[in-house]
Amino acid sequence: MKAKGLGRMAVIGLCSVLAVGCAGETEPAANSGEVSESVGTLGAPAEEGSGETPKQEGVVTLTVWSEAAGNELLEELIQSFKEEYAGQAEFDIQIEEASDADTRGNVLGDVHNAADVFSMADDQLASLVAGGALARVPNAEEIKKANAEGAVEAACIGDTLYAYPMTADNGYFLYYDKNYFSEEDVQTLDRILEVAAENEKKFSMQWDSGWYLYTFFGNTGLEFGINEDGVTNHCNWNTVEGPIKGVDIVNAMLAIAAHPGFISQPDGDFIEAARAGTAIAGVSGVWNAMEIRQIWGDNYGAKKLPTYTCAGQQVQMASFVGYKMIGVNAYSEHLDWALKFADWITNEENQVLRFERRNQGPSNINAASSDAVKQVPAIQAVMEQAQYGVLQRVGNNYWTPSSEFGLKMAAGNAEGKEPQEIIDALVAGITASAVN
């Protein structure tokens, strides 16, 4: 399939299903999780792939979408794929640069001219399946056995596997400078803030992001998620009953915001603050591991998120967890070869190579259990935090209200509204039936 330049790919009218998740470097930013209105009029996809090695068929042309940071490694994987299947076909495999965060819109906007193979975050899967754009994985049982349960679950709709798991590190955790913190210090946010303030430094976290904001709600016993319609949300974060109420979380966040050891700032600003020496701890993900190591050297530490004080008790901070995977266009002219290529670049050997070259956490069970992976604090931290996290499955109306709420909390409720009024407004926005 010959892909047109991404700049000319017009994204057609869409209806919300799921919101785009963090693709590693950026916040989900209320990108619309959407399904093309043209679904059903796309024409028949290529015949379902068999999973068997295709017969000699002359020149096999494939286009692959990849983020710029991964292109050098991908070129190497293309070459090894050609060597593996030398003599079975002549391959012309081209890379086109594209953001993982834009995969859904780019594919559903013009599926016939989209790439044959593309990388994506797990929360885009449902939209692409609903749009008929993803081919099923033919060797599904083999892939399921080889990869971590969470990664497999993220790549499935029901029991059907629609993508090849690639990484298991798309989440966030705590970074800290060991010059200032002991192992005991980083167990609670209270102590982290105390140490930061004592040293006239900061603990950094981005509060104008629903992706990070979920941290305070996830392990409180309150409920939130997407409804069966795949569009709207249910949420009881404003409840006035139970051991932890919505106002308790509001009050806890306002107390944190008022602490001299805290600062709310974008993820990228945390790195700059760490480099400047003003931030000595912060919440981020593996995409910043190399920079943090350069800044703090051997004193770079990474752990699961700490607990925080809410309603007089210590609550484990939660997280959204995510996975990266490789999808295959159901309309690929060389579907079997596209599936073979996706399988190749996500196999155990190449996940190990991806870890070695790019420090990305493998989803493959064997690759993830290697001593080398165990020695990387950031990857171990995101895996440790995963037990306190959930897959990001939210309707689009979550992002704007949560961002606005986070900004109000970080500003210390400058308008002076009652906590119940604040949390009621948040829930009303999240559960609104109209699509923002």
Side-chain angles (χ1 to χ4, degrees), residues 16 76 97 105 155 216 304 374 418:
S16 175
E76 187 173 335
E97 185 177 322
F216 295 100
K304 72 170 181 64
K374 292 177 180 178
E418 291 296 319

Side-chain angles (χ1 to χ4, degrees), residues 236-264:
N236 73 342
W237 289 353
N238 61 339
T239 184
V240 296
E241 300 178 350
I244 296 180
K245 307 172 183 63
V247 294
D248 295 326
I249 298 174
V250 171
N251 290 329
M253 293 184 67
L254 289 175
I256 294 168
H259 200 287
F262 174 76
I263 185 172
S264 173

Side-chain angles (χ1 to χ4, degrees), residues 324-376:
K324 289 292 186 70
M325 56 193 66
I326 297 294
V328 173
N329 193 326
Y331 293 82
S332 174
E333 295 174 8
H334 301 283
L335 183 56
D336 279 324
W337 279 117
L339 290 162
K340 278 286 182 184
F341 181 72
D343 193 355
W344 179 261
I345 63 176
T346 57
N347 65 21
E348 178 184 342
E349 179 182 355
N350 288 324
Q351 286 201 29
V352 169
L353 192 60
R354 188 171 287 106
F355 162 73
E356 292 173 347
R357 299 292 179 79
R358 302 193 60 209
N359 213 36
Q360 292 185 315
S363 63
N364 180 276
I365 296 170
N366 291 338
S369 63
S370 72
D371 290 339
V373 172
K374 292 177 180 178
Q375 292 173 8
V376 179

Side-chain angles (χ1 to χ4, degrees), residues 153-177:
E153 178 187 354
C156 283
I157 298 296
D159 293 329
T160 303
L161 189 67
Y162 282 98
Y164 293 84
M166 180 172 64
T167 70
D169 60 5
N170 199 27
Y172 45 92
F173 48 88
L174 175 72
Y175 282 109
Y176 64 98
D177 186 342

Side-chain angles (χ1 to χ4, degrees), residues 45 48 116-118 120-122 124-141 143-144 151-165 325-330 335 338-339 342:
E48 193 72 51
D116 300 272
V117 178
F118 38 79
M120 63 187 194
D122 64 89
Q124 302 184 44
L125 185 84
S127 298
L128 291 166
V129 172
L134 285 178
R136 297 181 182 183
V137 173
N139 56 333
E141 292 308 310
I143 300 303
K144 288 179 179 180
V152 171
E153 178 187 354
C156 283
I157 298 296
D159 293 329
T160 303
L161 189 67
Y162 282 98
Y164 293 84
M325 56 193 66
I326 297 294
V328 173
N329 193 326
L335 183 56
L339 290 162

